[in-house]
Amino acid sequence: RTQQPNGAFGEGQFGRSVAVTSLACLAFMADGNMPGRGPYAEQVQRGLNYVLDQCNESGLVATDSANSPMYGHGFATLFLGEVYGMTQGGPDTALASRTHQALVRAVRLIEQSQNEEGGWRYNPVPFDADLSVTICQIMALRSARNAGLEVSKDVIDKAVQYARSCQNPDGGFRYQLVAGPSAWPRTAAGIASLYYAGIYEDRAIDSGMKYLFATAMPGRMDMQAIHYHYGHYYAVQAMFLAGGDSWARWWPALRGQLISDQGENGAWNDPSHGSEYASAMSLIILQMPKRYLPIFQK
């Protein structure tokens, strides 16, 4: 109901956002919908067309009015990678070709804009970095690699080192390399970044997981807290990839909390980013065990 005529999603200051549009389409795809397939095929197709229309010659995927465009670029590249990975060949050849071209340019821009520390920042220039933007790019690169694109190992190795360097002694992760407090949302992002870089057993992951269970266990916190949906989007991925007891403890608690918070109109709300963003994030989380999206397949 909330998709705009041009295919975009997003409201308020996040209107016509490639990030929210990409996340909304990923939410549909997490239930098996794709262009040409599924009851919401049209919505995914329109969203994909909108994102492809925002691809610039430089490779950046962003609207002209976008602030902090590398956030949206990361989510959009992830979306393109998942679409390409699920539509190669057959009747979707033309769509796959257009998506492939955009994806290749988007990946090259990510590689070229990594800074000397190994991370990324708000704009596609290699001058600064923070962990939040960095994990967006790592997930995008993993999705592209899963879909068959060549991704620089050196870029990934530097990104891993950057993420490691952002961890505090308490197991939590700070925002940048400079000294700062730990916070659970970026800790979840930090753990996920290591997993998506191909690191599955590590002391950094173990201490980070302990920090998450101590500070962010679902059911013990206000769902309207800032970065709630962002944090759990990454936390549930970390728990899923960890598996075992971590998943068994985290997943039922988070699932129950999200279901109880759904509004009568079907939406979830986020005080900072709006209901379309919160609903997309919640649906991606709730549908993760289906593993339809390649990025969530172990």
Side-chain angles (χ1 to χ4, degrees):
R1 292 194 302 269
T2 59
Q3 189 173 29
Q4 298 171 31
N6 64 0
F9 289 88
E11 54 200 303
Q13 63 175 316
F14 301 101
R16 293 176 286 107
S17 162
V18 295
V20 179
T21 301
S22 297
L23 289 167
C25 289
L26 286 169
F28 287 124
M29 291 169 63
D31 194 37
N33 299 282
M34 287 295 302
R37 297 193 293 274
Y40 297 105
E42 179 186 350
Q43 282 71 31
V44 179
Q45 178 70 70
R46 289 166 56 200
L48 176 59
N49 288 339
Y50 178 77
V51 170
L52 289 172
D53 286 344
Q54 310 314 312
C55 295
N56 302 312
E57 290 186 8
S58 67
L60 182 67
V61 188
T63 61
D64 293 339
S65 60
N67 293 318
S68 308
M70 285 304 286
Y71 266 124
H73 181 84
F75 285 122
T77 305
L78 169 63
F79 170 47
L80 294 175
E82 297 302 281
V83 170
Y84 182 65
M86 296 171 73
T87 60
Q88 296 182 54
D92 301 313
T93 301
L95 175 65
S97 177
R98 186 183 180 202
T99 303
H100 175 260
Q101 293 175 18
L103 179 60
V104 169
R105 291 195 299 267
V107 167
R108 299 298 169 249
L109 179 119
I110 293 173
E111 292 177 334
Q112 294 163 9
S113 57
Q114 184 180 38
N115 84 333
E116 292 183 356
E117 297 172 339
W120 290 266
R121 190 64 160 156
Y122 298 141
N123 293 298
V125 288
F127 298 148
D128 199 2
D130 71 66
L131 185 62
S132 182
V133 175
T134 295
I135 177 56
C136 288
Q137 315 314 313
I138 292 176
M139 278 194 72
L141 293 176
R142 180 57 185 258
S143 176
R145 184 175 178 273
N146 288 349
L149 271 70
E150 182 179 345
V151 175
S152 168
K153 183 179 183 299
D154 182 59
V155 169
I156 297 299
D157 289 345
K158 288 172 62 179
V160 167
Q161 184 56 47
Y162 179 81
R164 287 185 183 281
S165 299
C166 288
Q167 191 170 31
N168 285 327
D170 64 0
F173 285 72
R174 58 186 178 273
Y175 186 55
Q176 294 182 289
L177 291 185
V178 294
S182 298
W184 76 268
R186 55 178 170 263
T187 298
I191 296 170
S193 69
L194 296 178
Y195 275 129
Y196 284 120
I199 299 169
Y200 302 104
E201 295 184 7
D202 196 274
R203 284 184 295 178
I205 291 176
D206 294 340
S207 60
M209 294 288 274
K210 289 179 181 178
Y211 180 88
L212 280 183
F213 274 105
T215 61
M217 185 69 188
R220 301 177 188 169
M221 60 192 317
D222 180 9
M223 294 187 69
Q224 298 302 306
I226 188 169
H227 303 317
Y228 177 90
H229 294 93
Y230 169 92
H232 278 298
Y233 168 79
Y234 288 118
V236 78
Q237 294 178 59
M239 298 300 169
F240 178 72
L241 292 167
D245 182 64
S246 296
W247 175 253
R249 291 170 59 194
W250 196 273
W251 168 245
L254 180 57
R255 177 186 58 199
Q257 191 173 40
L258 284 175
I259 290 173
S260 68
D261 194 56
Q262 186 180 26
E264 292 184 2
N265 66 347
W268 285 263
N269 184 53
D270 184 286
S272 299
H273 302 95
S275 61
E276 295 175 34
Y277 164 84
S279 298
M281 286 295 212
S282 297
L283 288 168
I284 292 171
I285 292 169
L286 289 171
Q287 297 178 109
M288 180 172 294
K290 297 178 180 179
R291 292 190 284 183
Y292 286 147
L293 290 171
I295 195 74
F296 297 149
Q297 295 170 6
K298 291 187 178 180

